[in-house]
Amino acid sequence: MIFKGQHQTDKEILNYISNHIDKDIERLLNAESLPMDGREVPEFDKFGVYENLAQKMNRSGRPSVGTICKWACAIALVLLNIGYLAYQHVDLSEPVYKEVCALRGERLVVLLEDGTRVWLNADSKLVYPERFTKDKREVSLVGEAYFEVKKDASKPFMVQADEMNIRVTGTRFNVSVYPTDSTVTTTLDEGGIVISYPYAEKMGSYHMIPGQTAIYEKGSNICKVMTNAYYKEASDWKDNKLIFRNAPLGEVLTTLSRQFDVSFDVRSKEINKFTYNFTCKLNNLSGIFEMMSAITPIKFNEISENVYAVKEK
């Protein structure tokens, strides 16, 4: 508050306060800053204020009601400013981040503080703040996850997946962004999301609709968005099921390595040309080996604990 002139009466000061204090309090309650004309709020010296009041009372005897009100309102506004600045300091402080990792061979479900649920696939990591900020919800993903986002139009949910950013207000989608993969794959089940990715000179974005899959090639400006008749299968892993469609042997072995925490030593280069179409449960590795051996002429031999040799029959 700024008082103009040096000879205003207590009545004039009280009228000024009456006209402005309600607006100032309303600003503070709405988390808005007070108009300070570029000045910083001085440190509140409660002992100095007390001494000034005591001196004024000693000089003039009993102070007038207007004088008391003037000082009370001034102190109240300073305290409100201090409280507001303290609130801003807490709200704008650096967030505390958590990191949840699903190791090879395991899957986890993470419940975020806003009610969003995240299924984390094997060999994956999710980084998120303990509490989201006032205007957005941001997390980062390495690996694969299925998101069921709590709807909040005023606070968009954003997933950083390598170079791709996924923005959503409430929906369900699957993201695969393993470091060893050359692509980032996003499949939308329900709702709507906006994916953005870097171009050479500007940021490109695309509004996805349910049933679409976006495949972004890392380190490029290429992102293919297509209708996917089998889009529901992208997240079957969270229901303990895997589906392979025309998948090369290398892709199948990589997936099995993550899901069962095993390693493979491919002994025959010729077998890399084989592709597979089958569905399996994530609880029977030996059964999967038998199925693959029935589809193509390969065999699996355990050469050490959790290490298998793969070669042609």
Side-chain angles (χ1 to χ4, degrees), residues 5 17 44 54 77 106 118 138 153 162 167 173 179 206 219 221 234 239 242 283 294 300:
I17 292 173
F44 180 57
L77 279 177
E106 70 176 12
V118 184
E138 289 184 309
D162 198 87
R167 180 184 177 94
F173 58 99
Y206 187 87
N221 62 352
D239 297 318
L242 287 180
N283 56 9
F300 297 84

PDB file of all heavy atoms in Angstrom, residues 5 17 44 54 77 106 118 138 153 162 167 173 179 206 219 221 234 239 242 283 294 300:
ATOM      1  N   GLY A   5       1.258  11.856   0.253  1.00  0.00           N
ATOM      2  CA  GLY A   5       1.172  13.047   1.081  1.00  0.00           C
ATOM      3  C   GLY A   5       1.527  12.771   2.526  1.00  0.00           C
ATOM      4  O   GLY A   5       1.467  11.653   2.993  1.00  0.00           O
ATOM      5  N   ILE A  17      -7.729   2.672   3.301  1.00  0.00           N
ATOM      6  CA  ILE A  17      -7.590   1.260   3.663  1.00  0.00           C
ATOM      7  C   ILE A  17      -8.872   0.499   3.329  1.00  0.00           C
ATOM      8  O   ILE A  17      -8.850  -0.594   2.770  1.00  0.00           O
ATOM      9  CB  ILE A  17      -7.237   1.114   5.151  1.00  0.00           C
ATOM     10  CG1 ILE A  17      -5.819   1.643   5.403  1.00  0.00           C
ATOM     11  CG2 ILE A  17      -7.348  -0.342   5.603  1.00  0.00           C
ATOM     12  CD1 ILE A  17      -5.457   1.697   6.866  1.00  0.00           C
ATOM     13  N   PHE A  44       9.877  -7.739   8.098  1.00  0.00           N
ATOM     14  CA  PHE A  44       8.962  -7.269   9.134  1.00  0.00           C
ATOM     15  C   PHE A  44       9.669  -7.262  10.477  1.00  0.00           C
ATOM     16  O   PHE A  44      10.059  -8.305  10.995  1.00  0.00           O
ATOM     17  CB  PHE A  44       7.731  -8.188   9.177  1.00  0.00           C
ATOM     18  CG  PHE A  44       6.727  -7.768  10.222  1.00  0.00           C
ATOM     19  CD1 PHE A  44       6.181  -6.503  10.202  1.00  0.00           C
ATOM     20  CD2 PHE A  44       6.344  -8.665  11.215  1.00  0.00           C
ATOM     21  CE1 PHE A  44       5.251  -6.139  11.147  1.00  0.00           C
ATOM     22  CE2 PHE A  44       5.413  -8.299  12.165  1.00  0.00           C
ATOM     23  CZ  PHE A  44       4.868  -7.031  12.130  1.00  0.00           C
ATOM     24  N   ALA A  54       4.865   2.607  20.779  1.00  0.00           N
ATOM     25  CA  ALA A  54       5.069   3.080  22.154  1.00  0.00           C
ATOM     26  C   ALA A  54       5.468   4.545  22.171  1.00  0.00           C
ATOM     27  O   ALA A  54       4.986   5.329  22.993  1.00  0.00           O
ATOM     28  CB  ALA A  54       6.139   2.224  22.830  1.00  0.00           C
ATOM     29  N   LEU A  77      -1.408  -6.287   6.779  1.00  0.00           N
ATOM     30  CA  LEU A  77      -1.028  -6.442   5.375  1.00  0.00           C
ATOM     31  C   LEU A  77       0.397  -6.963   5.234  1.00  0.00           C
ATOM     32  O   LEU A  77       0.693  -7.774   4.366  1.00  0.00           O
ATOM     33  CB  LEU A  77      -1.177  -5.109   4.639  1.00  0.00           C
ATOM     34  CG  LEU A  77      -2.610  -4.778   4.204  1.00  0.00           C
ATOM     35  CD1 LEU A  77      -2.653  -3.405   3.558  1.00  0.00           C
ATOM     36  CD2 LEU A  77      -3.153  -5.831   3.252  1.00  0.00           C
ATOM     37  N   GLU A 106      10.113 -58.852 -13.600  1.00  0.00           N
ATOM     38  CA  GLU A 106       9.028 -58.431 -12.718  1.00  0.00           C
ATOM     39  C   GLU A 106       8.238 -57.285 -13.332  1.00  0.00           C
ATOM     40  O   GLU A 106       8.714 -56.571 -14.217  1.00  0.00           O
ATOM     41  CB  GLU A 106       9.561 -58.018 -11.340  1.00  0.00           C
ATOM     42  CG  GLU A 106      10.349 -56.726 -11.322  1.00  0.00           C
ATOM     43  CD  GLU A 106      10.765 -56.331  -9.908  1.00  0.00           C
ATOM     44  OE1 GLU A 106      10.643 -57.166  -8.991  1.00  0.00           O
ATOM     45  OE2 GLU A 106      11.211 -55.187  -9.731  1.00  0.00           O
ATOM     46  N   VAL A 118      -0.167 -46.511 -13.001  1.00  0.00           N
ATOM     47  CA  VAL A 118       0.835 -46.831 -14.011  1.00  0.00           C
ATOM     48  C   VAL A 118       1.282 -48.276 -13.824  1.00  0.00           C
ATOM     49  O   VAL A 118       1.752 -48.643 -12.746  1.00  0.00           O
ATOM     50  CB  VAL A 118       2.063 -45.898 -13.914  1.00  0.00           C
ATOM     51  CG1 VAL A 118       3.044 -46.204 -15.045  1.00  0.00           C
ATOM     52  CG2 VAL A 118       1.639 -44.435 -13.950  1.00  0.00           C
ATOM     53  N   GLU A 138       3.978 -34.036 -14.506  1.00  0.00           N
ATOM     54  CA  GLU A 138       5.024 -34.511 -15.402  1.00  0.00           C
ATOM     55  C   GLU A 138       5.730 -35.732 -14.826  1.00  0.00           C
ATOM     56  O   GLU A 138       6.085 -35.749 -13.648  1.00  0.00           O
ATOM     57  CB  GLU A 138       6.066 -33.410 -15.646  1.00  0.00           C
ATOM     58  CG  GLU A 138       5.569 -32.268 -16.504  1.00  0.00           C
ATOM     59  CD  GLU A 138       6.668 -31.264 -16.790  1.00  0.00           C
ATOM     60  OE1 GLU A 138       7.325 -30.824 -15.827  1.00  0.00           O
ATOM     61  OE2 GLU A 138       6.866 -30.921 -17.965  1.00  0.00           O
ATOM     62  N   ALA A 153      -8.628 -31.596 -16.527  1.00  0.00           N
ATOM     63  CA  ALA A 153      -8.398 -30.712 -17.676  1.00  0.00           C
ATOM     64  C   ALA A 153      -7.550 -29.505 -17.310  1.00  0.00           C
ATOM     65  O   ALA A 153      -6.852 -28.945 -18.160  1.00  0.00           O
ATOM     66  CB  ALA A 153      -9.735 -30.259 -18.258  1.00  0.00           C
ATOM     67  N   ASP A 162      12.008 -40.492 -23.883  1.00  0.00           N
ATOM     68  CA  ASP A 162      13.142 -40.182 -24.750  1.00  0.00           C
ATOM     69  C   ASP A 162      12.892 -38.821 -25.398  1.00  0.00           C
ATOM     70  O   ASP A 162      12.672 -37.840 -24.691  1.00  0.00           O
ATOM     71  CB  ASP A 162      13.342 -41.289 -25.795  1.00  0.00           C
ATOM     72  CG  ASP A 162      14.727 -41.249 -26.429  1.00  0.00           C
ATOM     73  OD1 ASP A 162      15.674 -41.845 -25.870  1.00  0.00           O
ATOM     74  OD2 ASP A 162      14.876 -40.597 -27.481  1.00  0.00           O
ATOM     75  N   ARG A 167       1.177 -35.659 -24.154  1.00  0.00           N
ATOM     76  CA  ARG A 167       0.367 -34.757 -23.335  1.00  0.00           C
ATOM     77  C   ARG A 167      -1.080 -35.257 -23.323  1.00  0.00           C
ATOM     78  O   ARG A 167      -1.651 -35.558 -24.364  1.00  0.00           O
ATOM     79  CB  ARG A 167       0.427 -33.334 -23.902  1.00  0.00           C
ATOM     80  CG  ARG A 167      -0.376 -32.292 -23.129  1.00  0.00           C
ATOM     81  CD  ARG A 167      -0.298 -30.957 -23.854  1.00  0.00           C
ATOM     82  NE  ARG A 167      -1.091 -29.944 -23.201  1.00  0.00           N
ATOM     83  CZ  ARG A 167      -0.620 -29.076 -22.307  1.00  0.00           C
ATOM     84  NH1 ARG A 167       0.671 -29.113 -21.994  1.00  0.00           N
ATOM     85  NH2 ARG A 167      -1.395 -28.178 -21.753  1.00  0.00           N
ATOM     86  N   PHE A 173      -3.284 -45.410 -22.284  1.00  0.00           N
ATOM     87  CA  PHE A 173      -2.383 -45.633 -23.410  1.00  0.00           C
ATOM     88  C   PHE A 173      -1.148 -46.400 -22.964  1.00  0.00           C
ATOM     89  O   PHE A 173      -0.808 -46.429 -21.776  1.00  0.00           O
ATOM     90  CB  PHE A 173      -1.964 -44.311 -24.060  1.00  0.00           C
ATOM     91  CG  PHE A 173      -1.290 -43.352 -23.127  1.00  0.00           C
ATOM     92  CD1 PHE A 173       0.090 -43.236 -23.098  1.00  0.00           C
ATOM     93  CD2 PHE A 173      -2.034 -42.554 -22.265  1.00  0.00           C
ATOM     94  CE1 PHE A 173       0.723 -42.354 -22.235  1.00  0.00           C
ATOM     95  CE2 PHE A 173      -1.417 -41.658 -21.407  1.00  0.00           C
ATOM     96  CZ  PHE A 173      -0.036 -41.561 -21.391  1.00  0.00           C
ATOM     97  N   PRO A 179      15.740 -48.287 -24.025  1.00  0.00           N
ATOM     98  CA  PRO A 179      16.962 -47.657 -24.570  1.00  0.00           C
ATOM     99  C   PRO A 179      17.574 -48.433 -25.736  1.00  0.00           C
ATOM    100  O   PRO A 179      18.173 -47.831 -26.628  1.00  0.00           O
ATOM    101  CB  PRO A 179      17.912 -47.629 -23.365  1.00  0.00           C
ATOM    102  CG  PRO A 179      17.027 -47.702 -22.173  1.00  0.00           C
ATOM    103  CD  PRO A 179      15.856 -48.545 -22.580  1.00  0.00           C
ATOM    104  N   TYR A 206       1.029 -34.249 -33.021  1.00  0.00           N
ATOM    105  CA  TYR A 206      -0.059 -34.967 -33.671  1.00  0.00           C
ATOM    106  C   TYR A 206      -1.080 -35.373 -32.622  1.00  0.00           C
ATOM    107  O   TYR A 206      -0.723 -35.866 -31.538  1.00  0.00           O
ATOM    108  CB  TYR A 206       0.479 -36.209 -34.384  1.00  0.00           C
ATOM    109  CG  TYR A 206      -0.559 -36.918 -35.223  1.00  0.00           C
ATOM    110  CD1 TYR A 206      -0.794 -36.548 -36.541  1.00  0.00           C
ATOM    111  CD2 TYR A 206      -1.316 -37.953 -34.672  1.00  0.00           C
ATOM    112  CE1 TYR A 206      -1.760 -37.187 -37.308  1.00  0.00           C
ATOM    113  CE2 TYR A 206      -2.287 -38.600 -35.431  1.00  0.00           C
ATOM    114  CZ  TYR A 206      -2.498 -38.206 -36.743  1.00  0.00           C
ATOM    115  OH  TYR A 206      -3.460 -38.835 -37.496  1.00  0.00           O
ATOM    116  N   GLY A 219      16.057 -39.988 -32.925  1.00  0.00           N
ATOM    117  CA  GLY A 219      17.093 -39.222 -33.605  1.00  0.00           C
ATOM    118  C   GLY A 219      16.732 -38.808 -35.005  1.00  0.00           C
ATOM    119  O   GLY A 219      17.615 -38.442 -35.795  1.00  0.00           O
ATOM    120  N   ASN A 221      13.302 -37.159 -37.768  1.00  0.00           N
ATOM    121  CA  ASN A 221      12.063 -36.380 -37.802  1.00  0.00           C
ATOM    122  C   ASN A 221      10.928 -37.229 -38.355  1.00  0.00           C
ATOM    123  O   ASN A 221       9.962 -36.715 -38.906  1.00  0.00           O
ATOM    124  CB  ASN A 221      12.242 -35.120 -38.660  1.00  0.00           C
ATOM    125  CG  ASN A 221      12.572 -35.466 -40.114  1.00  0.00           C
ATOM    126  OD1 ASN A 221      12.814 -36.634 -40.443  1.00  0.00           O
ATOM    127  ND2 ASN A 221      12.580 -34.478 -40.979  1.00  0.00           N
ATOM    128  N   ALA A 234      -1.180 -54.371 -27.476  1.00  0.00           N
ATOM    129  CA  ALA A 234       0.048 -53.684 -27.062  1.00  0.00           C
ATOM    130  C   ALA A 234       0.231 -53.714 -25.550  1.00  0.00           C
ATOM    131  O   ALA A 234       1.363 -53.700 -25.061  1.00  0.00           O
ATOM    132  CB  ALA A 234       0.046 -52.250 -27.566  1.00  0.00           C
ATOM    133  N   ASP A 239      -1.539 -58.047 -18.345  1.00  0.00           N
ATOM    134  CA  ASP A 239      -2.454 -59.117 -17.976  1.00  0.00           C
ATOM    135  C   ASP A 239      -1.777 -60.478 -18.085  1.00  0.00           C
ATOM    136  O   ASP A 239      -2.434 -61.506 -18.287  1.00  0.00           O
ATOM    137  CB  ASP A 239      -3.697 -59.076 -18.869  1.00  0.00           C
ATOM    138  CG  ASP A 239      -4.479 -57.786 -18.696  1.00  0.00           C
ATOM    139  OD1 ASP A 239      -4.623 -57.343 -17.543  1.00  0.00           O
ATOM    140  OD2 ASP A 239      -4.924 -57.212 -19.707  1.00  0.00           O
ATOM    141  N   LEU A 242       1.582 -62.465 -23.623  1.00  0.00           N
ATOM    142  CA  LEU A 242       2.362 -61.914 -24.726  1.00  0.00           C
ATOM    143  C   LEU A 242       1.799 -62.411 -26.045  1.00  0.00           C
ATOM    144  O   LEU A 242       1.422 -63.586 -26.173  1.00  0.00           O
ATOM    145  CB  LEU A 242       3.839 -62.327 -24.621  1.00  0.00           C
ATOM    146  CG  LEU A 242       4.690 -61.662 -23.547  1.00  0.00           C
ATOM    147  CD1 LEU A 242       6.112 -62.211 -23.608  1.00  0.00           C
ATOM    148  CD2 LEU A 242       4.711 -60.145 -23.733  1.00  0.00           C
ATOM    149  N   ASN A 283       4.261 -67.221 -17.643  1.00  0.00           N
ATOM    150  CA  ASN A 283       4.548 -68.020 -16.456  1.00  0.00           C
ATOM    151  C   ASN A 283       5.145 -69.378 -16.794  1.00  0.00           C
ATOM    152  O   ASN A 283       5.274 -70.228 -15.906  1.00  0.00           O
ATOM    153  CB  ASN A 283       3.286 -68.196 -15.610  1.00  0.00           C
ATOM    154  CG  ASN A 283       2.133 -68.801 -16.411  1.00  0.00           C
ATOM    155  OD1 ASN A 283       2.308 -69.236 -17.546  1.00  0.00           O
ATOM    156  ND2 ASN A 283       0.960 -68.801 -15.796  1.00  0.00           N
ATOM    157  N   ALA A 294       8.400 -75.931 -32.181  1.00  0.00           N
ATOM    158  CA  ALA A 294       7.396 -76.567 -33.042  1.00  0.00           C
ATOM    159  C   ALA A 294       7.127 -75.713 -34.287  1.00  0.00           C
ATOM    160  O   ALA A 294       6.773 -76.245 -35.347  1.00  0.00           O
ATOM    161  CB  ALA A 294       6.108 -76.796 -32.263  1.00  0.00           C
ATOM    162  N   PHE A 300      16.556 -75.071 -27.756  1.00  0.00           N
ATOM    163  CA  PHE A 300      17.128 -74.302 -26.655  1.00  0.00           C
ATOM    164  C   PHE A 300      17.821 -75.263 -25.693  1.00  0.00           C
ATOM    165  O   PHE A 300      17.236 -76.256 -25.264  1.00  0.00           O
ATOM    166  CB  PHE A 300      16.038 -73.529 -25.908  1.00  0.00           C
ATOM    167  CG  PHE A 300      15.334 -72.493 -26.727  1.00  0.00           C
ATOM    168  CD1 PHE A 300      14.266 -72.847 -27.556  1.00  0.00           C
ATOM    169  CD2 PHE A 300      15.721 -71.160 -26.684  1.00  0.00           C
ATOM    170  CE1 PHE A 300      13.600 -71.891 -28.306  1.00  0.00           C
ATOM    171  CE2 PHE A 300      15.059 -70.202 -27.433  1.00  0.00           C
ATOM    172  CZ  PHE A 300      13.997 -70.567 -28.254  1.00  0.00           C
TER     173      PHE A 300
END
